[in-house]
Amino acid sequence: MCGIVGYIGHREAYPILINGLKRLEYRGYDSAGCALIDGDQLNVYKAKGKVSDLEQEAEGKDVKGTVGIAHTRWATHGEPSATNAHPHVSMDGTLALVHNGIIENYATLRENLSKHGVTFYSETDTEILVKLIEYIKNKRQCDLLTAVRMALRQSIGAYAIALIDKNDPDVLIVARKSSPLAIGIGQNNDEFFIGSDASPIAEYTKQVTYLNDEEVAVVRRGKPLKIVNLYNEEVEANVQTINLDLGMLSKGGFPHFMLKEIFDQPEVLRDCMRGRLLPDKVVLSAVVNYKEHLLNARRFIIVSCGTSWHAGLIGKQLIESFCEIPTEVEYASEFRYNRTTVDERDVVIAVSQSGETADTLAAIEKAKEKGAFVFGIVNAVGSSIARASDTGIYIHVGPEIGVASTKAFTGQVTVFSMFALALAKAKGVVTEENYLTIIGELSCIPDKINKVLEQNDRIRSLARIFTYAHNFLYLGRGYNYPVALEGALKLKEISYIHAEGYPAAEMKHGPIALIDSEMPVVFLATHHKLHKKIMSNMMEVKSRGGRIIAVVTEGDDEVRAIADEVIEVPPTENCLVPLLSVIPLQLLAYHVAVAKGLNVDQPRNLAKSVTVE
Ligand code: G6P
């Protein structure tokens, strides 16, 4: 996710900004930039790549100045490049702005500004914001704070911003909505430090205030902090004393990236749905613009690898049940070589977190050669798979650093849910009632995931009991079958315990022979029309001495009476259950691996992005 750093005070800003950007590197990024005011100069440096590339870019140039802002960007609107990197600058070159978040109505704002002669150089929503502020300031002849407040009142979406003005080098303006922003206060208000979290601040001061939504702070050198809301009503700063371990901060306060990414899920799924899932409809531009291609498809073929393949299995069920379009799921590595009869009547959906997986790219090439339309569901903006696709949907869950995929999986499933709903609506095969029910439920998923995450401590204790195991079996049916596969994969990847996922009813055709008192069996047993049948499978395991861990819907006392351990998830629509039932399995795998003392974020023999065959 993007990172913001800012400084105003009596020291040279540049080293503080660079140091701060390095502290934020854990968030992942693809380009970086900074802006400093030196006398009557506003100097802006930007580079694609790492913070060290930015340092190289600025080497030997004027980096003087005691006020500045800096940014690490993870692309959302526009590919990673120096042009799209922040800060973005106003037309007259006096204002520089950095931004985290997404301005959802950027297209409308851009169009309106263009009509008034404003020109744009990048593809970003951020450039629109700084130019909107400038436009309002000039048109109304108002001060910068007023222009910022008014521009933000017109902006729909999420933002944390920091802004400097060449004409007023004693001030830095920051604001936030749905994207965190911290202000560190130096002694006697003689210096201030800005960060998208406390990690760039903690080594300079322990006095920190976090802005609330729709608050704007005027950070003036030597003056107490002034905070107002968007309507200019003054708000009191709530200053806290923080005591943070800098080592932990590099992972956002978590001991491992994987745990951080598991806990990020409620927030990033909100980002994934932002501007797409509205209270009464789903709006996906790829579905609007390519409706005919999608609706005329003879069938969909989903191609992907690993965790993305599991998300594809859920996608198939969603598309077939909502849109009534036949859908197949293939391993990209098989599809690229097999004799699948793909042609121009097919739509191939390529699913990938990294957007660089070699097998998935090769599968796309084959699909294109055969004339199929290619639809990408990708996390990394501007990646090879995104570029090779005819259109698609970004999952927007931010960079995933832990090798074992977690938030990308729930992001992919969320995108598939929105895609199936939008397409079913376009085809006219979903009732209004069902459409609105699923939309309503999907919007509640982040809060429900938070409820599952509250059980983290219990899952940690439970995991310790099972570290002895050499084998694990995961069983589920319907939407929970791919979750069983994903739970088993997570455990294998990071704990090195052999684990298999199976459709529960298939147990009797083989795996039942393995069951004894040494074999933990994880049942995905949320409420569902086949719930009773899953309970019969549990009895079969129990009578053979197997240990049962069951993931159930809240209040399921029937399963509680049979299972050794029960983890509850809130009730939801059956088609959305994977978004909840996978969470305890991610945590279980994580805690088993930690209890075994293994390297959770970089498990042996595995790579995050598999760019070779
Ligand atoms: C690797 C990763 C997995 C991932 C798979 C597919 O094996 O370790 O976590 O699921 O590649 O990657 P993709 O980036 O295409 O989703």
Side-chain angles (χ1 to χ4, degrees), residues 305-308 351-355 357 360 403-405 412 493 607-608 610:
C305 306
T307 290
S308 299
V351 188
S352 176
Q353 187 287 125
S354 62
T357 304
T360 310
V403 165
S405 185
Q412 289 160 347
E493 282 177 316
K608 183 70 189 155
V610 183

Side-chain angles (χ1 to χ4, degrees), residues 452-471:
V452 183
L453 292 171
E454 282 168 14
Q455 299 171 74
N456 181 42
D457 287 345
R458 218 180 68 69
I459 297 173
R460 185 193 298 122
S461 334
L462 189 155
R464 288 201 193 108
I465 310 172
F466 291 98
T467 45
Y468 71 86
H470 296 292
N471 297 288

Side-chain angles (χ1 to χ4, degrees), residues 182-185 197-210 238-246 249:
I183 307 171
I185 305 166
D197 60 39
S199 48
I201 299 174
E203 64 201 272
Y204 304 106
T205 175
K206 297 206 178 319
Q207 300 302 109
V208 171
T209 182
Y210 291 88
N238 173 16
V239 182
Q240 310 168 19
T241 306
I242 52 160
N243 213 344
L244 295 175
D245 168 347
L246 284 174
L249 274 181

Side-chain angles (χ1 to χ4, degrees), residues 234-266:
E234 213 149 316
V235 180
E236 202 161 325
N238 173 16
V239 182
Q240 310 168 19
T241 306
I242 52 160
N243 213 344
L244 295 175
D245 168 347
L246 284 174
M248 290 276 276
L249 274 181
S250 68
K251 296 183 183 89
F254 287 92
H256 298 98
F257 283 112
M258 182 180 174
L259 191 62
K260 173 184 180 296
E261 286 158 6
I262 292 173
F263 272 81
D264 274 351
Q265 286 174 111

